[in-house]
Amino acid sequence: MTQKAKMPTKNDTSKPILIHGNQAIVEGALAAGCRFFAGYPITPATEIAESMAVRLPKLDGTFIQMEDEIASLGAVVGASLSGLKAMTATSGPGFSLMQEILGFAYMTEVPCVLVNVMRGGPSTGLPTHPSQADVMQARWGTHGNHTSIVLAVSSVADCFSITVTAFNLAEKFRTPVIILSDEVIAHTRERFIRPAAESLEIINRVKPAVPPEWYIPYEDTVRGVPPMAAFGDGYRYHVTGLVHDMHGFPTENQDEIRAFYKRMGRKISHYAAEIQMVNNFYTDDADITIIAYGSVARSALQATETAREKGFKVGLLQLITLFPFPCRHVENVLHKSKAVIVPEMNFGQISQEVKRVNSRQCPIIRLNRYDGNLITPDEIFEKIHEVL
Amino acid sequence: MPLTTHLVHQYLRHDKKFPHVWCPGCGNGIALGALIRSIHHLGYNRDDIVLVSGIGCSSRMPVYVDFNTLHTVHGRALTFATGIKLARPHLKVIVIMGDGDAMAIGGNHLIHAARRNLNLTAIIMNNNIYGMTGGQHSPTTPYGMRSTTSPYNHIERAFNISELIVTAGAGFVARGTVYHAEMLHVLIEKAIQKPGFSLVEIITHCHIQYGKLNQKGTHIDMMKWQKDHAVTVEKAQKMTIEELKDKFTIGVITDQNLPIYYDEYEKVKQRAQLSEK
């Protein structure tokens, strides 16, 4: 009798597995403690919902397919208000539909994670092709004054670790966090070794330490992030999308309105340095620096390495945090470089942000592609060659 | 101490800045009173009640009461309620909406919530108009009536909320009016107790917008209209179609036991966990 060799399963942490970006996002979310997912089918994000439908009930979590993307984010906010770490995932058209409730989550400071696997748009656009054209929508998509945290993933390993980070930031700052992926990362299978659970830093929201009668649900704390009680914990309080005072009640008092918006801005801006994550590759002595994010950063890294092999001083600044825009890191390379190249699968969205912080008039060269295809290493290398 | 004073002390928020936003003579307060009486009578712990609402006059209800309260976005209250109920099934989740909120912008969520049959209670305040925005026609504005957006009379037919939700598959549907206040808390009580999705449609009046635009008189006149045109479900069964022509029924319209989403999902969890072993 022959015995079959034991195949590595998803549960073995030590053995390498072959998974795609969408699956890695699910693994990251579950490792971070996500126990609620509501979603609606949409290419190229659907596999996230499908994997959640399989995995969550095994962990006593809840998966629900809602009637649309609006309902999906509504259910996620409801679950988070009731104490669960919750997530949804979508693509362009669904992301557009979610904008109003995304604003509600900012306004009421409800931690949640929203994944947008970017595809070509506007409208139905290019459902099975990658794009990076939702960057500014992720920053400014919902109406009104708000701060946002937007992270970009560029590999299967990123999909896992950045999703864990996204949950940590959401819980720490009581805010929605948006992960921007794209069709290339979503469907590219890569070797992945899941980190041991003990090695992961997991942050949970701060709960009130005071008795219910002392609880001030939107208190202006030192960090600007009030402790969050879950519905059913005995802290009965009011949650509203209207501008509210620190007790959670609607207000039209201008002092209270100002205090509210100031705290909302401060809780993110004062901690921007810890939120702004980048990877520097050969930037120390680079004459030409590429600033890239998402799948394009992979092409950019290869182009950078090719250039280095040929003796050119080229570096790559990979942005993981797109917003709050990592100004200091970008300024640093703008000061050191003779030119900066910004390749993007859009008309130029992050390049505008780079220009905004470019006080020293460093030449900024755009490389844009919007034909539904990934920018290749060769294209970036050619651009480097032109600039040299 | 009269019961009302006792209930006011027990259930209204002491730290909330009153007065409320409703016009004098509005039916929303009567409905809120009925809701509080039903919860009081059922003896639920206030910590276990979540009152969720959308946007509109009636959706301002939660802010005044001392429960877990959530004032969401226009039309989507049921989606938030779905997340709350699935995350913490022991909570009693009650959703307050208006006719524009529930039937126009939120119509899709309402029919799906009814079909899904999660343990939620939806209360729809139907005053046939958008009150808060100033008297525009809603999906329940009757044909031929006037609103600020149908100044030459309304040319669409109205939804019948309760019948629609029966068809959508709800286990429990009831209709009441703010005139029949004593009946109202009984209906709400039954709805809250019913396992699965339950709906109470409350016929109320907006004498400020709908009433003025259509010469329906004062709030008292409009409540008298409710009295004269409401027929109990039991009585309606003995009446002819001709007699029922301009009437509407009040009472329990449907009450049936259907598979409940949460129980079904528990089975899903068991199947998923068995497959793991």
Side-chain angles (χ1 to χ4, degrees), chain A residues 11 36 52-68 70-84 100-101 104 207 230-242 245 247 249-251 256, chain B residues 13 15-17 45-50 52 60 62-64 66-74 76 78-88 90-91 105 108-110 112-113 115-116 118 261 265-266 268-270 272-273 275-276:
Chain A
N11 297 325
F36 186 90
M52 282 293 192
V54 173
R55 303 272 281 132
L56 273 171
K58 293 181 182 181
L59 299 167
D60 255 333
T62 302
F63 164 86
I64 186 168
Q65 181 174 319
M66 295 296 286
E67 54 272 19
D68 59 28
I70 302 170
S72 301
L73 190 54
V76 161
V77 170
S80 183
L81 280 166
S82 307
L84 293 188
E100 189 195 4
I101 293 183
F104 182 87
K207 293 208 161 204
F231 287 158
D233 279 354
Y235 295 79
R236 297 183 303 274
Y237 69 105
H238 187 60
V239 179
T240 176
L242 289 163
D245 61 21
H247 298 282
F249 296 131
T251 180
E256 287 174 343
Chain B
R13 280 184 162 133
D15 48 354
K16 173 71 194 90
K17 299 164 203 160
N45 184 337
R46 284 176 298 172
D47 290 342
D48 296 338
I49 308 276
V50 187
V52 187
R60 288 297 183 97
V63 74
Y64 306 118
D66 190 12
F67 301 129
N68 303 285
T69 55
L70 176 60
H71 178 217
T72 70
V73 300
H74 197 25
R76 327 288 180 194
L78 281 164
T79 70
F80 292 78
T82 299
I84 295 166
K85 188 69 193 179
L86 288 172
R88 289 213 159 174
H90 79 278
L91 296 174
I105 187 166
N108 198 33
H109 306 305
L110 181 62
H112 285 282
R115 176 185 64 85
R116 195 172 285 129
L118 198 63
Y261 188 94
Y265 199 75
E266 282 301 301
V268 167
K269 281 184 188 172
Q270 282 168 14
Q273 287 164 17
S275 73
E276 187 84 325

Side-chain angles (χ1 to χ4, degrees), chain A residues 369-383:
Chain A
R369 194 164 175 175
Y370 32 82
D371 59 358
N373 285 282
L374 180 62
I375 300 176
T376 63
D378 284 353
E379 285 174 88
I380 298 172
F381 184 73
E382 267 172 43
K383 191 58 99 180

Side-chain angles (χ1 to χ4, degrees), chain A residues 98-322:
Chain A
M98 287 180 182
Q99 294 302 327
E100 189 195 4
I101 293 183
L102 180 59
F104 182 87
Y106 286 126
M107 188 56 127
T108 54
E109 301 176 68
V110 176
C112 56
V113 173
L114 197 168
V115 180
N116 174 10
V117 184
M118 291 184 285
R119 69 190 219 189
S123 189
T124 313
L126 296 161
T128 59
H129 293 265
S131 159
Q132 294 181 315
D134 301 349
V135 167
M136 281 299 164
Q137 188 189 19
R139 173 63 189 91
W140 294 111
T142 198
H143 63 278
N145 287 315
H146 60 282
T147 52
S148 5
I149 300 179
V150 181
L151 310 176
V153 290
S154 69
S155 67
V156 163
D158 267 7
C159 285
F160 183 92
S161 63
I162 301 297
T163 303
V164 173
T165 305
F167 273 97
N168 285 346
L169 294 175
E171 294 284 314
K172 185 168 183 180
F173 295 102
R174 277 193 68 172
T175 182
V177 174
I178 296 165
I179 297 174
L180 292 180
S181 177
D182 66 54
E183 194 277 333
V184 168
I185 301 149
H187 293 150
T188 301
R189 284 181 165 79
E190 291 186 87
R191 185 175 182 271
F192 174 66
I193 299 174
R194 188 215 300 250
E198 317 77 81
S199 71
L200 298 172
E201 189 202 8
I202 304 294
I203 297 174
N204 297 315
R205 66 191 68 172
V206 174
K207 293 208 161 204
V210 296
E213 58 274 23
W214 292 0
Y215 181 50
I216 301 169
Y218 290 94
E219 190 175 12
D220 193 352
T221 58
V222 178
R223 279 207 303 125
V225 183
M228 185 174 177
F231 287 158
D233 279 354
Y235 295 79
R236 297 183 303 274
Y237 69 105
H238 187 60
V239 179
T240 176
L242 289 163
V243 172
H244 38 271
D245 61 21
M246 61 184 182
H247 298 282
F249 296 131
T251 180
E252 291 182 23
N253 174 311
Q254 35 186 305
D255 295 331
E256 287 174 343
I257 295 170
R258 219 177 298 116
F260 168 79
Y261 281 114
K262 273 192 174 168
R263 180 176 63 75
M264 293 285 275
R266 173 168 66 88
K267 74 172 183 177
I268 304 291
S269 64
H270 277 204
Y271 298 87
E274 84 175 69
I275 302 167
Q276 289 159 338
M277 295 169 291
V278 298
N279 283 328
N280 279 283
F281 298 96
Y282 317 103
T283 50
D284 282 347
D285 64 341
D287 291 331
I288 296 174
T289 304
I290 305 163
I291 299 179
Y293 56 95
S295 54
V296 175
R298 304 284 290 276
S299 297
L301 182 58
Q302 200 178 321
T304 304
E305 281 171 348
T306 307
R308 283 275 165 178
E309 279 164 24
K310 292 182 193 292
F312 304 130
K313 285 187 174 176
V314 176
L316 166 66
L317 176 69
Q318 182 198 351
L319 309 183
I320 293 167
T321 306
L322 301 185

Side-chain angles (χ1 to χ4, degrees), chain B residues 168-188:
Chain B
F172 183 94
V173 175
R175 191 193 284 119
T177 82
V178 290
Y179 174 82
H180 302 84
E182 285 293 307
M183 182 193 213
L184 202 52
H185 67 243
V186 177
L187 294 177
I188 295 173

